[in-house]
Amino acid sequence: MLEEIESLRGVPLFSGMSERDLRKVMEIAKVVVHSSGQLVVGEDNTAVGFHLILEGTADASVGGEVVGTIGAGDYFGEISLIDGKPRSATVTATSELKTLVVPSWSFNRMLDQHPEMMRTLLIELCARLRKVEAART
């Protein structure tokens, strides 16, 4: 579990969380193995959670065209985890893929039970927004 916690800490959305809060996230997370060729998430589908790649590779595609390859340490679904909006890309495993999945319904329940965790998330989201705004000027 320590390895997964450190991997989670590497995700900007979770980087400001305390060890205690990361352990709470790990309590609701599960490791899922996807076989090569398996669809992990589909573009425009309702989001069901956040995925952090622990091992393996996958292709991300938009409109049927591959836009990138992702691997260990990469993640997807962090925005959908919070806003519940549909996926903006399809992710398909290109090798055996092991992901740490945080289901959105469990994540939202956890935040309801531990509202102090929301401040950390809001600070990170604000930092990302400021970065985008600064790039526009």
Side-chain angles (χ1 to χ4, degrees):
M1 182 192 320
L2 189 56
E3 184 178 323
E4 285 90 354
I5 287 176
E6 287 309 309
S7 294
L8 246 156
R9 191 184 311 280
V11 175
L13 187 65
F14 299 110
S15 64
M17 286 189 172
S18 68
E19 182 80 17
R20 185 179 124 251
D21 289 345
L22 288 172
R23 287 188 180 281
K24 285 179 188 164
V25 174
M26 286 303 301
E27 288 174 11
I28 62 170
K30 62 181 179 177
V31 174
V32 178
V33 177
H34 310 272
S35 57
S36 182
Q38 182 179 356
L39 179 73
V40 181
V41 298
E43 183 176 1
D44 295 327
N45 289 346
T46 302
V48 294
F50 164 83
H51 296 257
L52 171 61
I53 299 175
L54 300 173
E55 295 175 13
T57 57
D59 280 342
S61 58
V62 176
E65 184 161 334
V66 175
V67 295
T69 298
I70 52 180
D74 292 325
Y75 53 89
F76 51 96
E78 75 278 16
I79 300 301
S80 296
L81 178 67
I82 293 171
D83 71 9
K85 302 288 185 198
R87 301 289 183 175
S88 58
T90 295
V91 177
T92 307
T94 54
S95 70
E96 183 172 276
L97 186 70
K98 186 163 105 173
T99 63
L100 181 69
V101 180
V102 178
S104 56
W105 54 87
S106 298
F107 188 74
N108 289 329
R109 190 172 334 118
M110 180 187 68
L111 290 179
D112 288 343
Q113 294 169 354
H114 305 282
E116 69 280 1
M117 294 174 74
M118 282 192 252
R119 181 171 178 78
T120 303
L121 296 174
L122 286 171
I123 289 169
E124 178 54 38
L125 290 173
C126 288
R128 292 174 90 175
L129 182 58
R130 287 181 187 277
K131 186 176 180 179
V132 169
E133 288 177 340
R136 288 185 184 167
T137 58

